[in-house]
Amino acid sequence: MIIGKLNPNDQDKIDDDLEEVVEADGDPYEHEPERHPLLIVHSDTPMNAEVPVDIITKQYITPSNLFYIRNHHPVPLLSEDDVKDFRLEIDLSAFGNKEESVAKLSLEQIKTLPKVDIVSTLQCSGNRRSGFNDLRQTSGTNWGQGAISTTRWSGVRLTDLLQFAAEQVAMGASPDEKGTGSNKSTGDSLLKTLQNLQSILEKHTDVQHLRMESLDGMEASIPILKALSPFGDVILAYEMDGKPLTRDHGYPLRLIVPGYAAVRQVKWLSKLAFHPEESEGPWQRGLNYKIIPPSQMDASAVDLNEMPRLTEEPVISGITNLEKVATQGQNVKPGDTIMVNASGWAWAGGGRNIVRVDVTGDDGKTWETAKITQGGDQPFGKAWAWVFWECDVPAKVLEDGQTVEVSCKGVDIAFNTQPQYVDGMWNIRGLANNAWYRSRLSV
């Protein structure tokens, strides 16, 4: 197995460690997978690439080879023997016997559990960072709007997996014993799941987090209430779009946490552990995924321990296509109005349904309500995936006499909406830019 197992304390330490790996072992990126040539590559060591604007909404399910890529390290390379010998470690010691409370499950065992499908959107927390950079420079990849994609993830419910792991621990099964899971999913026994959850929370009030570790050394965690909720749809995925996970997207296992920032949906998953405290490391406790107030230009002046980490994403939207509805002559002048057809996407974290997308062609003086064309029929409170929308909107010709500007904003089921400008949201890490999306068209 070829991986870059790093021990990061902060981003400088990550870079230093990676340089040492290069010096000692040669190029750690020598075995990277091939990528689609249409992806917009921002960096290739590690690979960070977004979906071109004209492709984002071509299909509701993003083709796997065009799914955006956000890697922190070289992609793990597993041989057939590595996969055969792979064991997911599940540490349940926080709930009981500290000595013998670790289950180690093979892929074969995991795949005996009931298989479920979840259609869910993943978005990098820095998506649309370039909009912040237009105002003032931030740190990180200069993403446009293409660090977002959607697919059908297939795998096993985390609650089923944990129940199976607990049974293996109770039986004292060794990692080499071929225990198999029940054909009955806890998802089919809601009352039992709720009773188990209530019992765990009452008996172990100090256990607040599910920690995750990756084959590449990354660590992150999610709250136990999300991890164990029968309504949270957290799954351990081994397929995307009906085929095995690709290497860039977590092969052989990835934890899918619908409605959360993609950084909490750990790829190349190697270990799960319950713990009173959240994970260590820069991706959980460091600056990388914390939103600093816009007044702070120097992150070193901020006590990061007092800052919550990013989990659920805010409501956000984008425009992927603009075109004139009909030929309206060549003699337009500033202040004239022409009809424009706009289309794009919208999404909100936390499973919050998109109830409306508003579109304006005169900077918010008047609005049109877009038609939701796909994704509008998701269950209440479990809208894990984006919606597509379309709208004809009157747009005012700008002072240059040559362009119009169209803006959109999404509204979610809690009637959260997007702010007009980035000024009050700007942060040094460039995270969670959900200001109105603005796009111009030459007329």
Side-chain angles (χ1 to χ4, degrees):
M1 179 168 57
I2 302 173
I3 58 175
K5 178 73 173 179
L6 306 178
N7 181 26
N9 293 318
D10 53 36
Q11 194 61 51
D12 291 338
K13 181 67 163 59
I14 296 172
D15 295 338
D16 291 344
D17 285 352
L18 192 53
E19 288 179 6
E20 291 178 8
V21 170
V22 171
E23 293 175 1
D25 301 323
D27 185 2
Y29 293 98
E30 180 181 0
H31 299 278
E32 292 286 279
E34 292 186 10
R35 279 87 181 206
H36 199 289
L38 290 181
L39 288 172
I40 301 171
V41 176
H42 292 282
S43 68
D44 56 8
T45 54
M47 175 57 66
N48 291 295
E50 67 178 285
V51 186
V53 172
D54 61 345
I55 292 178
I56 295 174
T57 53
K58 284 288 186 183
Q59 300 179 57
Y60 188 78
I61 298 295
T62 310
S64 296
N65 61 350
L66 287 170
F67 206 97
Y68 88 94
I69 302 170
R70 172 66 172 110
N71 292 339
H72 297 93
H73 302 136
V75 176
L77 175 63
L78 281 68
S79 67
E80 289 185 11
D81 287 341
D82 290 330
V83 175
K84 182 178 179 181
D85 295 337
F86 173 84
R87 297 294 183 271
L88 174 67
E89 184 175 321
I90 304 172
D91 186 348
L92 302 175
S93 59
F95 298 131
N97 189 332
K98 304 294 183 181
E99 300 297 326
E100 299 180 355
S101 297
V102 177
K104 296 183 178 180
L105 305 181
S106 68
L107 289 173
E108 180 181 344
Q109 288 174 299
I110 292 170
K111 290 181 179 180
T112 65
L113 294 167
K115 183 178 180 181
V116 296
D117 298 328
I118 300 291
V119 177
S120 181
T121 294
L122 264 63
Q123 176 182 246
C124 177
S125 305
N127 197 28
R128 294 184 50 193
R129 180 179 281 127
S130 58
F132 281 144
N133 291 336
D134 290 340
L135 174 68
R136 190 181 307 118
Q137 189 63 38
T138 66
S139 63
T141 301
N142 192 42
W143 298 109
Q145 62 166 312
I148 186 170
S149 300
T150 297
T151 196
R152 183 180 303 278
W153 306 96
S154 302
V156 302
R157 293 185 186 277
L158 179 61
T159 49
D160 289 347
L161 180 77
L162 295 174
Q163 179 177 315
F164 177 51
E167 292 170 353
Q168 295 296 295
V169 168
M171 292 189 300
S174 72
D176 295 324
E177 293 175 347
K178 301 299 183 182
T180 59
S182 166
N183 288 327
K184 185 175 182 181
S185 167
T186 55
D188 298 327
S189 180
L190 180 58
L191 179 59
K192 182 177 180 180
T193 303
L194 290 172
Q195 289 173 337
N196 289 343
L197 174 60
Q198 185 65 28
S199 176
I200 289 171
L201 295 179
E202 289 178 352
K203 292 180 181 179
H204 305 280
T205 56
D206 62 321
V207 181
Q208 296 292 317
H209 304 275
L210 175 66
R211 290 182 167 189
M212 300 159 277
E213 294 184 16
S214 168
L215 289 173
D216 75 334
M218 183 187 170
E219 300 178 10
S221 58
I222 59 174
I224 190 173
L225 288 177
K226 175 65 173 180
L228 299 185
S229 172
F231 309 107
D233 288 341
V234 180
I235 70 169
L236 200 68
Y238 48 79
E239 291 180 0
M240 60 187 298
D241 199 15
K243 297 180 180 179
L245 292 173
T246 63
R247 287 180 57 211
D248 267 321
H249 299 295
Y251 179 80
L253 291 174
R254 180 173 193 167
L255 196 73
I256 298 300
V257 188
Y260 269 42
V263 70
R264 309 290 166 228
Q265 308 191 47
V266 173
K267 300 188 279 191
W268 315 302
L269 189 68
S270 62
K271 181 178 179 179
L272 296 170
F274 288 95
H275 201 275
E277 297 183 359
E278 63 182 347
S279 291
E280 306 283 349
W283 303 284
Q284 191 71 30
R285 301 197 188 195
L287 174 64
N288 293 16
Y289 290 94
K290 292 196 174 182
I291 300 177
I292 307 300
S295 60
Q296 294 290 344
M297 305 298 173
D298 181 5
S300 64
V302 178
D303 183 357
L304 294 178
N305 293 324
E306 298 298 321
M307 295 280 176
R309 81 295 311 154
L310 185 62
T311 53
E312 294 182 359
E313 296 269 19
V315 59
I316 188 171
S317 62
I319 297 171
T320 56
N321 188 62
L322 287 179
E323 57 186 33
K324 291 196 294 185
V325 171
T327 301
Q328 299 172 44
Q330 301 298 318
N331 298 319
V332 295
K333 59 184 183 299
D336 284 352
T337 297
I338 67 169
M339 290 301 296
V340 173
N341 178 263
S343 58
W345 56 273
W347 178 71
R352 295 183 296 275
N353 305 66
I354 295 293
V355 296
R356 197 175 75 237
V357 176
D358 299 323
V359 187
T360 179
D362 55 12
D363 201 32
K365 294 182 178 63
T366 61
W367 294 92
E368 299 293 331
T369 301
K371 177 183 179 181
I372 304 298
T373 57
Q374 293 188 71
D377 57 350
Q378 298 177 68
F380 175 81
K382 296 179 70 174
W384 308 128
W386 57 12
V387 301
F388 289 174
W389 57 266
E390 184 177 0
C391 184
D392 287 342
V393 57
K396 182 179 290 187
V397 178
L398 300 178
E399 288 299 319
D400 62 9
Q402 299 178 359
T403 57
V404 295
E405 182 177 81
V406 176
S407 305
C408 68
K409 61 182 178 72
V411 181
D412 70 20
I413 196 70
F415 292 95
N416 300 307
T417 190
Q418 300 175 233
Q420 185 171 2
Y421 302 113
V422 301
D423 306 53
M425 306 160 50
W426 185 93
N427 58 92
I428 191 66
R429 281 292 292 128
L431 302 174
N433 176 13
N434 74 326
W436 294 3
Y437 189 86
R438 301 169 184 270
S439 184
R440 292 194 174 189
L441 173 68
S442 175
V443 297

